[in-house]
Amino acid sequence: MTDISMDTTISQIEDIVAGDIDDEKVMMSVEKGQYYSLDPVGSRVWELIEKPVKVAALIDTLMLKYDVDRETCERDVLAFLEELREEGILQVED
């Protein structure tokens, strides 16, 4: 399994059912029967990866919305994406 980098294309897997409660996203993996809850920033990331997108483009979009320096944004987003991949709910393409 290769590391997720700025050039990696990512997207949601298809078997996730998601809904919004207040400003959080609540999701369920149909395949695993597992529930997930994302904070507002994680929810925004999830929305942005509905269709395949390069990580660099995802970071660029988030930088426009949130007041964060690029290094922090890259580090936090890459860590979050790795968590999603470990849970089996992130599609990663080379």
Side-chain angles (χ1 to χ4, degrees):
M1 188 178 323
T2 59
D3 288 340
I4 297 174
S5 72
M6 299 303 285
D7 292 326
T8 305
T9 299
I10 55 167
S11 62
Q12 302 173 1
I13 64 166
E14 293 182 15
D15 83 329
I16 295 290
V17 176
D20 295 314
I21 298 178
D22 296 324
D23 58 352
E24 293 186 354
K25 180 96 39 206
V26 179
M27 310 177 318
M28 185 183 104
S29 169
V30 175
E31 183 179 312
K32 293 182 172 188
Q34 179 95 13
Y35 287 92
Y36 306 93
S37 176
L38 301 176
D39 66 16
V41 176
S43 296
R44 184 66 184 135
V45 170
W46 187 254
E47 291 167 1
L48 292 170
I49 65 171
E50 183 176 356
K51 293 187 165 55
V53 63
K54 285 209 179 284
V55 173
L58 172 64
I59 300 282
D60 290 343
T61 301
L62 292 171
M63 295 280 305
L64 295 172
K65 181 169 176 76
Y66 299 102
D67 184 24
V68 63
D69 65 272
R70 185 162 197 93
E71 182 180 331
T72 301
C73 188
E74 287 178 8
R75 182 185 64 239
D76 291 352
V77 169
L78 288 171
F80 177 65
L81 295 175
E82 285 293 347
E83 288 179 30
L84 294 179
R85 178 165 66 174
E86 287 173 14
E87 290 294 327
I89 60 174
L90 181 70
Q91 180 74 32
V92 177
E93 304 169 20
D94 292 329

